[in-house]
Amino acid sequence: MRLWLVRHGSTKGNARHAYVGRSSDEALSDEGRAQAAAVGFLPQVKRVYVSPLLRARQTAELCLPDAVQLVVAGLEEMDFGAFEGKSAADLQDDADYRQWVDGWCTGRCPGGEDREAFVARTVSALEHVLASAREAGEQDVVVLAHGGTVMAALSVLASDLSQEDGYFEWQLGCCEAYACDLLWEGARSRVARMSRFPSTNL
């Protein structure tokens, strides 16, 4: 089985480097729509598993217009709580933000999630997706979600391939993807090999 982990197209918040998380249900910007429409590397699957957030669903509609969208709760971006919608520049004088950053962004965002809870939520949702896809005999499984979702998933599934911190090394740009060849160990999977697919330059 090959798992495709895809980040959505750009939003206005992404363009200004804001924290666009679970409670920021932004639509794609014009640039994001163009990015999504230009993606040509994804396999033509019958169904695509998507985050409930609008930017992911819109990207899937443009990338894979003939695929049925299966919305999966738990694949949303991290909940950044009080930091939602703000950039690092906006938050530079915020003591809570400085403490969070100084802790490598692992602690709990005020009113939001910590990394451990976010990773657990993401991996649980993805395991259900993969179990369902395996039972259905799918060879290519496309999951269209968020940059944080991809990092959270690969921090667990690709831990054997990790060379750095095991989280931020899996960052993706908008409309980029990892194609991951999976090995199964009982009911659990892990990434054996992977390739990165860059976004189209627009």
Side-chain angles (χ1 to χ4, degrees), residues 4 6-9 32-44 59-60 62-65 142 144 173-177 197-202:
W4 296 79
V6 190
R7 186 183 177 192
H8 61 78
R33 294 183 67 84
Q35 289 171 333
V39 170
F41 53 75
L42 291 177
Q44 294 304 303
T59 302
L62 291 164
C63 288
L64 297 166
V142 178
L144 212 154
C174 291
C175 283
E176 292 185 351
F197 287 80
S199 59
T200 303
N201 293 322
L202 297 171

Side-chain angles (χ1 to χ4, degrees), residues 24-80:
S24 299
D25 201 12
E26 291 191 349
L28 294 180
S29 63
D30 289 343
E31 178 186 11
R33 294 183 67 84
Q35 289 171 333
V39 170
F41 53 75
L42 291 177
Q44 294 304 303
V45 291
K46 293 183 179 179
R47 55 186 186 175
V48 54
Y49 300 89
V50 297
S51 158
L53 297 179
L54 179 61
R55 54 194 181 272
R57 293 185 284 111
Q58 288 180 327
T59 302
E61 185 177 306
L62 291 164
C63 288
L64 297 166
D66 296 326
V68 174
Q69 291 189 24
L70 299 179
V71 176
V72 181
L75 292 180
E76 301 95 329
E77 179 61 276
M78 184 174 180
D79 188 340
F80 294 111

Side-chain angles (χ1 to χ4, degrees), residues 10 13-14 18 26 35 50 69 72 87 91 98 105 108 113 116 122-123 132-134 141 150 152 163 170 173 194 200:
S10 184
N14 294 144
E26 291 191 349
Q35 289 171 333
V50 297
Q69 291 189 24
V72 181
S87 67
L91 294 162
R98 293 307 324 161
C105 307
R108 184 173 179 268
E113 290 178 293
E116 184 178 2
T122 300
V123 171
S132 173
R134 189 184 188 193
V141 180
V150 173
Q163 297 179 356
W170 306 120
M194 65 196 311
T200 303

Side-chain angles (χ1 to χ4, degrees), residues 176-189:
E176 292 185 351
Y178 285 112
C180 308
D181 294 329
L182 300 182
L183 289 179
W184 291 88
E185 298 168 345
R188 295 294 180 92
S189 63

